């Protein structure tokens, strides 16, 4: 199913679409205010971009440096080539502990690997502890945004969900009271958690520490109460030095939600006495992306979500319409790398307006890459026939002045004469489904121009002697 | 070593681009005043309270948190002794923790809290309320300056910027998600 078809479902509720659009635009505006308050923001973006470029150009070496430092800290380091191996490694650690209860803080990588269903299938209770994640876990949904996983839901939806799962009063929709109910519920889970799984925002090669950024403190609470901490990281999370972290912590939260920094920026390097720490380093298609010069820059992404918040298509189609772990503009670049056929429509879910590129804190050329994917998909015959033939036809028309002129004449007449039902037939003209066509002028610009009196010849300018 | 490790490293080596330089990160400075720190912290839900000196810590804390029953601190006499071995059940009942912060960052209100100052790694998040004591001379302008002053990040350590919060329900800001419901910074 294409992005456009799934988006249609979201668009059925016009009020909700408008609300979704406005909510995300509000976050985008908060981002702008936070960014303008930092005089060197553009300089920081450039530094972040260069640090990431450099890191990717020595990725194998930094991964080894990181591994050695982490092992020296007493951390167990594991390597997973793909999602299946990632899941198996984590289940194995849990099994060895004889544990059955896992608390998890937000991690898009474990989403990408579908870890939750795998663990549940193997008899492990998995509790997502980030409030937004917990809400969608109750509802058996996927996150619709990488930073704001439940952004597609209204407070009444959350109220209904909590009424069913947590026994809150029917009709309760006050965010404060709903959050309090979740706090009580999740505290009991934290206290009972045997193994804690977290994601990784940054991994520092120099120190072997992983850095986790949250606002709720759920990663810290889970990890520090459980016996075992498992941190799952993609190979692209590496940065070389602690000093580089100063750049990224200044960019991440400002770009994501407009906060000056996340509430907790936690550095985990060594397990507490008598406890264990594991890091699972995951590839899952990333080294392949590294080998594609046109798309390699997508590995610089720090998952701030700014490109989604600003994207006019994302805001009006909702995260679920992308049907991929990472939605929005960056997801549309990452997904065809994983499965070109399945995600062929995503690089077309963009107006190519470039707004995503403008806000990206690590300067990924997002809209250029979307454009490049379209070429790749075209060559690979992954473009829907209607679009492809339409493009081919227009290409011919635009290539010849004569054909273009004739076509224009024909179109103007046709638009005046053909009935609305035909020009707007959804099967012929998807463009006109939600749009009116302009009234066709009687004359083209060229015809009008030809009838104008020729301008008088300009006097020759005097060349000074 | 695992076969996957070797495969991943070999693929990263084969597919990486030509080496590009690592830039030096300048020590961006700026306003490091207590006024700026106070304003920024207020903007993210925290509060600054001035102490005349460390002698006035106990009475100030009593005045600020008259209802706190179970308190833990290395700086004044709390009611619950906490160390790395304290069981979860006891930690979960703590109302207030008063801990020493090391460095404050004026541009974002964050305070560096190293493991050595936490009593137990879970204490700063499991306590209902958190008070961090900070020497005003340890205020810096930016994160770059803060990291430059750290000897390292140790086994565990974190920047804390305000109380635990969430905006996951319709983007309404709610203070007190899982961690401490309030953060007071006691500046002296
Ligand atoms: S591509 Fe850029 S803007 Fe989008 S999530 Fe990644 S870092 Fe943020």
């Amino acid at each position: 199913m294409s992005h456009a078809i799934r988006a249609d479902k979201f668009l059925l509720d016009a009020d909700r679409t408008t609300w979704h659009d406005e909510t995300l635009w509000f976050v985008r505006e908060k981002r702008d205010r936070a960014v303008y308050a930092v005089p060197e923001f553009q300089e920081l973006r450039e530094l972040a971009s260069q640090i990431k470029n450099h890191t990717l150009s020595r990725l194998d070496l930094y991964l080894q440096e990181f591994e050695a430092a982490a092992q020296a800290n007493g951390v167990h380091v594991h390597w997973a080539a793909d999602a299946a191996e990632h899941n198996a490694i984590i289940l194995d650690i849990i099994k060895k502990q004889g544990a059955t209860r896992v608390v998890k803080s937000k991690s898009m990588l474990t989403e990408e690997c579908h870890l939750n269903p795998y663990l549940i299938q193997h008899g492990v209770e998995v509790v997502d502890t980030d409030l937004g994640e917990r809400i969608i876990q109750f509802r058996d949904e996927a996150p619709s945004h990488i930073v704001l996983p439940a952004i597609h839901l209204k407070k009444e939806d959350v109220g209904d969900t909590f009424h069913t799962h947590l026994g809150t009063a029917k009709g309760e929709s006050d965010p404060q009271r709903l959050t309090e109910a979740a706090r009580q519920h999740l505290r009991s889970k934290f206290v009972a958690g045997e193994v804690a799984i977290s994601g990784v925002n940054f991994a520092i090669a120099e120190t072997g520490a992983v850095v986790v950024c949250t606002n709720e403190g759920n990663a810290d609470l889970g990890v520090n109460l459980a016996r075992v901490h498992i941190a799952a990281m993609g190979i692209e999370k590496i940065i070389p030095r602690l000093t580089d972290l100063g750049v990224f912590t200044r960019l991440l939260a400002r770009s994501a939600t407009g906060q000056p920094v996340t509430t907790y920026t936690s550095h985990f390097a060594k397990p507490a006495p008598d406890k264990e720490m594991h890091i699972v380093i995951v590839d899952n298609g990333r080294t392949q992306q590294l080998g594609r010069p046109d798309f390699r820059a997508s590995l610089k992404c720090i998952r701030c979500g700014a490109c989604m918040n600003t994207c006019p298509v994302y805001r009006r189609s909702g995260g679920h319409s992308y049907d991929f772990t990472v939605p929005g503009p960056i997801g549309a670049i990452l997904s065809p790398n994983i499965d070109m056929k399945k995600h062929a429509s995503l690089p077309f879910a963009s107006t190519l307006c470039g707004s995503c590129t403008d806000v990206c804190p690590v300067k990924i050329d997002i809209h250029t890459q979307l454009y490049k994917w379209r070429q790749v998909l075209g060559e690979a015959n992954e473009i829907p026939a209607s679009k492809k033939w339409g493009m081919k036809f227009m290409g011919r028309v635009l290539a010849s002045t004569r054909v273009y002129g004739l076509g224009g004449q024909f179109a103007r007449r046709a638009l005046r004469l053909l009935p609305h039902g035909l020009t707007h037939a959804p099967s012929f003209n998807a463009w006109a489904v939600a749009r009116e066509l302009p009234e066709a002028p009687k004359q083209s610009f060229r015809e009008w121009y030809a009838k104008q009196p020729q301008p008088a010849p300009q006097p020759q300018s005097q060349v000074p002697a | 070593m695992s076969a996957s490790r070797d495969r991943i490293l070999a693929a990263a080596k084969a597919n990486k681009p030509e080496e590009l330089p690592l830039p030096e990160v300048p020590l961006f400075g700026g306003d490091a005043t207590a006024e700026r720190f106070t304003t920024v912290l207020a903007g993210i839900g925290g509060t600054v309270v001035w102490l005349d000196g460390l002698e006035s810590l106990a009475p100030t804390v009593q005045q600020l948190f008259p209802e706190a029953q179970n308190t833990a601190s290395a700086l004044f006499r709390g009611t619950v002794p906490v160390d790395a071995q304290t069981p979860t059940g006891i930690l979960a009942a703590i109302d207030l923790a008063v801990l020493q912060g090391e460095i404050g960052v004026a541009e974002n209100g964050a305070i560096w809290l190293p493991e050595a100052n936490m009593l137990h790694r879970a204490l700063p998040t499991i306590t209902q309320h958190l008070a961090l004591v900070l020497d005003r001379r340890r205020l810096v302008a930016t994160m770059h300056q803060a990291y430059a002053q750290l000897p390292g990040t140790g086994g565990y350590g974190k920047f804390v910027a305000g109380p635990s919060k969430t905006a996951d329900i319709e983007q309404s800001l709610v203070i007190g998600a899982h961690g401490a419901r309030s953060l007071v910074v006691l500046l002296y």
Side-chain angles (χ1 to χ4, degrees), chain A residues 54 85 132 187 220 250 263, chain B residues 4 20 107 156 161 168 178:
Chain A
H54 163 82
E85 195 174 3
R187 281 219 156 203
D220 295 83
R250 293 182 79 194
T263 304
Chain B
S4 292
L20 292 159
E107 84 158 357
Y156 172 61
D168 272 345
H178 309 293

Side-chain angles (χ1 to χ4, degrees), chain A residues 53-64 79 234-236 238 281-283 285-292 296 299, chain B residues 4-19:
Chain A
N53 284 338
H54 163 82
T55 313
L56 291 177
S57 77
R58 289 176 54 95
L59 189 58
D60 53 327
L61 302 171
Y62 279 126
L63 284 167
Q64 290 172 73
W79 299 78
I235 54 170
E236 80 285 13
I238 290 268
I281 302 176
V282 185
D283 181 348
R286 288 164 176 75
T287 50
Q288 175 182 309
Q289 189 86 321
L290 186 65
R292 292 181 157 144
R296 144 186 316 144
L299 293 170
Chain B
S4 292
R5 174 186 187 273
D6 296 342
R7 263 218 308 281
I8 295 168
L9 290 175
K13 188 173 177 186
N15 292 351
K16 68 185 179 181
E18 217 172 286
E19 185 157 336

